[in-house]
Amino acid sequence: MGVCMVAMIWPWGMDWPALPQTVLFSLGGLWFLAAAPFRAGDRSPGKAALAVWPRVVMMGAMTWMVAAMGSGHALSGHGEPVGTHDIQEMGTAGAAAMSTTGTGLRAGAALLAGVLAVIGLIWLARTLAPATRKPTAGDWAGTDSASSDPSTPRAEGPVTHACHATMALGMAVTFVLLV
């Protein structure tokens, strides 16, 4: 997802077909939901499904962005509507000048930017929370140090939370550019 997100803002990334990306991100969101009960550990299936919602929202946001960018008329750069191929001619400021046209698309981009920023800040807070206690090897390795059983779901440590925070906050910034 991260590689696709970075590639999308480069002019050559605009040439990628929208359908495979849409399918990929949609299946990714469904995979997180389907895998949740199997990674529940000591949580109820409902709590396990609730825990994956930030990832599902992020996959859904990527799907929305691909659809908005793939619609050609939905983008504008330097104040004029353009197609996806015309964005290449904008130069290096293309990504920074890119925005959506239409109230609905702008409102959607703003809403997703806010949601993604909140998700990113929550993950950032989780990243910094262990600073108040002595970290264990399991915190940094992403494993549960209390159990050597390989069937035990892996605990998410600060490094994992930092990666998720970076992804969510990066997506939020990208969505702000679309507003």
Side-chain angles (χ1 to χ4, degrees):
M1 184 171 108
V3 171
C4 288
M5 187 174 81
V6 169
M8 287 171 83
I9 63 171
W10 288 93
W12 52 266
M14 299 293 177
D15 288 335
W16 289 7
L19 182 62
Q21 294 178 75
T22 302
V23 169
L24 174 73
F25 295 129
S26 297
L27 290 175
L30 291 173
W31 179 83
F32 280 115
L33 282 176
F38 300 104
R39 301 192 70 205
D42 60 351
R43 296 180 289 193
S44 70
K47 286 186 179 181
L50 189 59
V52 299
W53 272 106
R55 292 170 183 91
V56 173
V57 169
M58 290 173 67
M59 287 292 191
M62 290 297 291
T63 303
W64 183 92
M65 185 184 292
V66 168
M69 293 176 89
S71 65
H73 67 278
L75 295 176
S76 69
H78 301 289
E80 297 179 20
V82 295
T84 53
H85 295 287
D86 297 329
I87 292 174
Q88 293 177 348
E89 297 172 11
M90 285 188 227
T92 57
M98 187 172 62
S99 66
T100 54
T101 59
T103 306
L105 289 175
R106 285 182 182 227
L111 177 66
L112 286 169
V115 169
L116 291 165
V118 168
I119 290 171
L121 291 173
I122 289 170
W123 267 323
L124 184 60
R126 290 179 183 170
T127 301
L128 301 174
T132 60
R133 65 174 175 82
K134 182 179 176 186
T136 65
D139 287 339
W140 298 101
T143 59
D144 184 1
S145 60
S147 172
S148 60
D149 180 8
S151 65
T152 302
R154 295 164 39 132
E156 293 186 350
V159 173
T160 303
H161 292 307
C163 290
H164 291 323
T166 302
M167 180 70 72
L169 293 171
M171 286 179 70
V173 168
T174 304
F175 276 86
V176 166
L177 293 174
L178 291 174
V179 174

